[in-house]
Amino acid sequence: MTSQANAIRPQATPGIWSGTFALASRELVRFFRQRTRVIGAIGQPIIFWVLFGAGLRGSFQSPEWASNLEQPLTYQEYFFPGIAVLIVMFTAIFSTISIIEDRREGFLQGVLAAPVPRSVIVLGKVLGGTVLAVIQAGLFLMVGPLLSYVGLSPGLQIEVGLLQGIFAVIFLTLIAVELTSLGFLIAWPMNSTQGFHAIMSIFLMPMWLLSGAFFPGGGSGWLSWIIRLNPLTYGVAGLRRLLYSGDLPVTDSLPSLPVCVLVTAVFGLACFAISAALVSRPTSHNVT
């Protein structure tokens, strides 16, 4: 019996990765077959960027960390990293809400009964959502500066070089893992898409709004503390540091890049670990 068990164990790892890639590829195929998801995940943030940039351009005041720049920071430039993170968040929401649909259709029960660890579900969903998020946000980083040449985003002076782009994509991957794991953690105990949208409205969107993506979060008071405690603040700040060309004069109001990487990685790992623990439970109690 022992020899037979030992002979079976080496086959477990290939089963984990094959199951993970199968679930991830399923997410990719499902996404590209649904054109409305592609349009919604990319089109809506770009519309936000163009419209809010045009409407708030005159009333925008540069934050403290950008006060020493040779050329004043425009709102389009300030909002640019926040929109990239918004695309990642929308993709994470759309990719993890499929968990509820898979449970209703019976697909999730079939995966749970398969002879692979239950953590494969988390790995597959997070990998698929991360790839989709990075593809879409990466496209925006390339297309966004081109909009300034046609007059849709006047004042945008961001020019992303090759090395900057590589580091920005790597950091976007870290943010995508963080937000997709968080979305999985929220969606797993639910059996209602309406409940998921409610959580998104009262938790995920305010989380993005209070990350410094939409407006500067300096100053003092209770709002500034919420912004500092928000883990997504460090994702937006880290991406902001990587995208802005040249030297960026900063103060303590903008977190350093090592701190941004550390906070984003720790929070993403924590969400992933909790999600894996929930999935590995023998029984789960679903709530609306």
Side-chain angles (χ1 to χ4, degrees):
M1 296 294 293
T2 304
S3 60
Q4 292 179 354
N6 292 334
I8 295 175
R9 282 176 188 170
Q11 300 177 0
T13 301
I16 292 176
W17 291 114
S18 61
T20 298
F21 291 133
L23 290 176
S25 61
R26 180 175 179 268
E27 291 297 319
L28 296 175
V29 172
R30 173 188 287 182
F31 177 81
F32 288 109
R33 283 182 177 177
Q34 300 173 353
R35 297 180 181 178
T36 54
R37 286 181 60 184
V38 180
I39 297 173
I42 300 180
Q44 185 176 4
I46 291 180
I47 292 174
F48 282 176
W49 183 50
V50 173
L51 295 182
F52 282 120
L56 300 177
R57 187 192 321 160
S59 60
F60 174 72
Q61 294 182 354
S62 296
E64 181 184 359
W65 49 262
S67 58
N68 296 327
L69 291 175
E70 295 181 359
Q71 296 181 349
L73 189 72
T74 64
Y75 188 73
Q76 284 81 5
E77 290 174 318
Y78 177 84
F79 202 24
F80 189 71
I83 287 295
V85 174
L86 181 64
I87 292 175
V88 173
M89 189 180 72
F90 277 175
T91 306
I93 291 171
F94 290 143
S95 62
T96 53
I97 200 174
S98 63
I99 296 172
I100 303 173
E101 299 173 356
D102 290 341
R103 182 182 290 115
R104 288 180 175 178
E105 296 171 358
F107 176 81
L108 195 59
Q109 286 77 358
V111 176
L112 291 172
V116 293
R118 291 190 171 191
S119 58
V120 166
I121 301 176
V122 187
L123 287 170
K125 287 288 185 180
V126 171
L127 178 60
T130 297
V131 172
L132 289 174
V134 172
I135 290 175
Q136 294 175 85
L139 287 175
F140 173 74
L141 294 183
M142 292 187 296
V143 173
L146 297 178
L147 297 179
S148 62
Y149 294 102
V150 297
L152 292 179
S153 57
L156 182 67
Q157 302 172 5
I158 296 177
E159 297 181 359
V160 181
L162 178 60
L163 189 60
Q164 275 182 294
I166 293 175
F167 285 131
V169 169
I170 293 174
F171 191 71
L172 272 174
T173 303
L174 196 61
I175 298 175
V177 172
E178 173 192 32
L179 290 177
T180 309
S181 299
L182 178 61
F184 189 102
L185 178 61
I186 296 173
W188 179 257
M190 294 189 173
N191 56 15
S192 169
T193 55
Q194 291 83 357
F196 186 87
H197 284 297
I199 295 296
M200 179 195 73
S201 301
I202 65 175
F203 179 69
L204 292 180
M205 283 303 296
M207 184 178 178
W208 174 77
L209 289 172
L210 295 175
S211 66
F214 191 67
F215 57 86
S220 59
W222 61 271
L223 186 60
S224 64
W225 280 105
I226 293 178
I227 294 174
R228 292 190 185 106
L229 294 175
N230 182 4
L232 196 57
T233 299
Y234 302 89
V236 174
L239 186 61
R240 197 182 299 282
R241 283 182 172 273
L242 290 170
L243 289 180
Y244 291 163
S245 59
D247 296 332
L248 179 65
V250 297
T251 64
D252 294 338
S253 60
L254 189 66
S256 64
L257 185 59
V259 172
C260 294
V261 173
L262 179 62
V263 173
T264 304
V266 170
F267 185 75
L269 182 61
C271 291
F272 185 90
I274 297 174
S275 299
L278 286 177
V279 173
S280 300
R281 292 171 57 183
T283 58
S284 60
H285 302 281
N286 297 330
V287 297
T288 301

